[in-house]
Amino acid sequence: RCIIKHLEGLVVQYDLTVRDSDGSVVQFLYGEDGLDIPKTQFLQPKQFPFLASNYEVIMKSKHLQEVLSRADPQKALRHFRAIKKWQSKHPNTLLRKGAFLSYSQKIQAAVKALNLEGGNQNGRSLGTHQILKMWNELDEQSRRKYQKKAAPCPDPSLAVWRPDIYFASVSETFEKKMDDYSVEWASQAEKSYEKSELSLDRLRTLLQLKWQRSLCDPGDPGEAVGLLAAQSIGEPSTQMTLNTFHFAGRGEMNVTLGIPRLREILMVASANIKTPMMSVPVFNTKKALKRVKSLKKQLTRVCLGEVLEKIDVQESFCVGDKHDKFQVYRLRFHFLPHAYYQQEKCLRPEDILHFMETRFFKILMESLRKKNNKASAFRTV
């Protein structure tokens, strides 16, 4: 109820923006692409052959020629060509270099050869000051070469051209789907004996029209998308609550779920969350994945039972000097060999012994003392 009350003012406006009750913009495009979810069933690649086979019917019913006569797809198409041109020149988008960085890496060896001597100035070496001086003295034409190489990627088409006004302005994901299907359709057309009247340009125009027809209807603004979002959060919360029973007894799944999780994050907003979680994206490279696995081993919680093989308990009855009788228990812990857990856990036998000596026995003795006090206070009638 709290989420619905907070989000009930979010609605879609005529310009496809999502605004609050006071007119403040929450999203410039609903869902970041402006699409109406119930209308997107034909925007999947598996539905593209159906659209291609019914091109004539769709063209007549959707008035494709009339739309194309009034729309100007060239602006969006030129923008996509600029994006693809930049991507072809920068295949490795993970390594982004600025103009000054490229210049400094190029002349770094020449500056080192000067053997500049002296202390640091303002925390920078004399070589760094020399590179800055050479960069500032560089002429405009030479500097423009480095700036051209370090030019950033153009903004997405949806961020520049509104999809409801400019035809062919689609998301980059849908553009890639169209490119992949165009290659597949062209190869099938070459192998087919029957020549199709549908050309590749017409096929792409049809898919772009289907995208534009799947946008939120600008003629019917005021859809309460905030309530939809609140219901989407609240509906699975009961299922999340039920899932906690399936994870009972599993230490790695000991996470607060369901309604208590929503209350902890949204309503209470506690600074000390009981089970904090974090999703960290990593680069898909061998070096990064190797470091992530090492970090995971370091952060994984290890329980004593996971490295313990067995415990031998020996009980003996003793009589003291003053003829007082007492029982003596001897505990012998047998731990698993290091080879059994070294691949999964960042742990050494020395770490286990240090934990046993500094923490475990203190916790054990404190628990025994509390239990002994509780047993001595209990009286039978």
Side-chain angles (χ1 to χ4, degrees):
R1 291 196 300 269
C2 293
I3 301 176
I4 291 177
K5 196 63 181 176
H6 282 84
L7 300 182
E8 64 182 358
L10 298 182
V11 295
V12 179
Q13 301 294 335
Y14 282 101
D15 56 354
L16 299 184
T17 59
V18 179
R19 298 175 183 261
D20 208 343
S21 56
D22 59 351
S24 58
V25 178
V26 178
Q27 274 186 323
F28 288 101
L29 277 177
Y30 170 55
E32 302 297 341
D33 53 13
L35 293 177
D36 191 5
I37 301 302
K39 300 178 182 178
T40 58
Q41 56 180 340
F42 287 102
L43 298 183
Q44 303 301 324
K46 61 181 180 180
Q47 298 292 343
F48 289 172
F50 176 80
L51 296 176
S53 59
N54 293 273
Y55 172 77
E56 297 293 339
V57 178
I58 297 175
M59 184 178 64
K60 293 179 181 179
S61 61
K62 300 295 183 180
H63 307 286
L64 181 59
Q65 297 298 337
E66 182 181 353
V67 171
L68 293 178
S69 62
R70 293 183 298 175
D72 182 17
Q74 297 304 320
K75 292 183 179 180
L77 295 178
R78 283 196 298 267
H79 193 82
F80 274 113
R81 284 196 292 267
I83 293 176
K84 292 178 181 179
K85 183 178 179 181
W86 185 92
Q87 291 176 347
S88 63
K89 292 183 178 180
H90 304 80
N92 190 3
T93 57
L94 298 179
L95 300 177
R96 299 291 299 276
K97 294 182 179 180
F100 175 73
L101 180 59
S102 301
Y103 175 76
S104 61
Q105 289 179 346
K106 184 177 180 180
I107 66 170
Q108 188 174 12
V111 173
K112 285 184 178 180
L114 298 177
N115 295 325
L116 299 175
E117 297 181 356
N120 295 342
Q121 297 180 5
N122 299 326
R124 294 177 177 176
S125 63
L126 294 180
T128 304
H129 284 284
Q130 182 65 24
I131 293 175
L132 287 171
K133 182 179 178 181
M134 296 172 65
W135 171 257
N136 294 328
E137 295 176 353
L138 200 64
D139 59 292
E140 189 66 26
Q141 184 177 1
S142 301
R143 187 180 298 184
R144 193 179 294 113
K145 292 181 181 179
Y146 292 99
Q147 292 175 348
K148 189 175 181 180
K149 293 180 181 179
C153 180
D155 292 331
S157 178
L158 294 178
V160 180
W161 311 106
R162 276 180 52 181
D164 58 331
I165 297 178
Y166 295 95
F167 189 75
S169 179
V170 299
S171 67
E172 295 182 358
T173 304
F174 189 72
E175 178 71 15
K176 187 177 184 305
K177 291 179 181 179
M178 288 196 302
D179 292 340
D180 296 341
Y181 181 72
S182 299
V183 175
E184 180 183 353
W185 183 85
S187 61
Q188 292 179 356
E190 291 179 358
K191 297 178 182 178
S192 178
Y193 294 101
E194 299 180 0
K195 291 187 177 181
S196 176
E197 297 181 358
L198 180 62
S199 63
L200 189 59
D201 293 337
R202 289 184 177 182
L203 175 62
R204 295 182 66 90
T205 303
L206 174 64
L207 297 177
Q208 291 163 355
L209 175 68
K210 198 62 184 176
W211 168 277
Q212 195 175 52
R213 288 292 187 267
S214 301
L215 296 173
C216 293
D217 192 358
D220 187 20
E223 183 178 359
V225 294
L227 293 178
L228 291 176
Q231 291 173 358
S232 300
I233 296 174
E235 186 271 334
S237 62
T238 54
Q239 300 298 326
M240 293 168 62
T241 306
L242 294 176
N243 284 340
T244 57
F245 299 105
H246 301 290
F247 298 146
R250 295 179 58 184
E252 67 273 13
M253 298 301 296
N254 187 17
V255 179
T256 307
L257 299 175
I259 299 297
R261 185 68 168 180
L262 293 176
R263 186 183 296 112
E264 183 181 47
I265 296 176
L266 299 177
M267 297 175 61
V268 181
S270 175
N272 299 319
I273 299 179
K274 294 182 180 179
T275 53
M277 297 178 62
M278 180 184 295
S279 298
V280 181
V282 297
F283 294 131
N284 191 17
T285 59
K286 292 183 178 180
K287 185 177 180 181
L289 295 177
K290 185 177 179 180
R291 295 180 64 183
V292 166
K293 290 181 180 179
S294 176
L295 180 61
K296 179 185 176 183
K297 289 170 59 176
Q298 296 177 14
L299 298 179
T300 301
R301 181 182 179 185
V302 182
C303 298
L304 183 62
E306 298 178 10
V307 295
L308 187 63
E309 183 178 4
K310 64 177 181 177
I311 301 177
D312 294 336
V313 181
Q314 295 180 357
E315 181 182 1
S316 59
F317 186 79
C318 299
V319 179
D321 297 337
K322 298 181 180 180
H323 302 286
D324 50 343
K325 302 174 184 178
F326 54 89
Q327 290 177 310
V328 177
Y329 295 90
R330 297 180 183 273
L331 304 180
R332 187 178 182 87
F333 294 86
H334 298 268
F335 294 98
L336 294 171
H338 186 222
Y340 279 82
Y341 54 84
Q342 64 178 354
Q343 298 294 335
E344 299 179 358
K345 298 174 176 57
C346 185
L347 193 66
R348 300 175 301 172
E350 295 83 0
D351 300 330
I352 300 176
L353 294 178
H354 179 72
F355 170 78
M356 297 290 290
E357 294 174 355
T358 57
R359 296 189 58 187
F360 177 77
F361 290 116
K362 292 181 180 179
I363 298 174
L364 178 62
M365 297 305 296
E366 183 66 21
S367 300
L368 292 176
R369 186 185 63 81
K370 291 181 179 180
K371 193 169 185 179
N372 189 29
N373 294 339
K374 186 177 180 180
S376 61
F378 180 75
R379 296 181 180 179
T380 58
V381 179

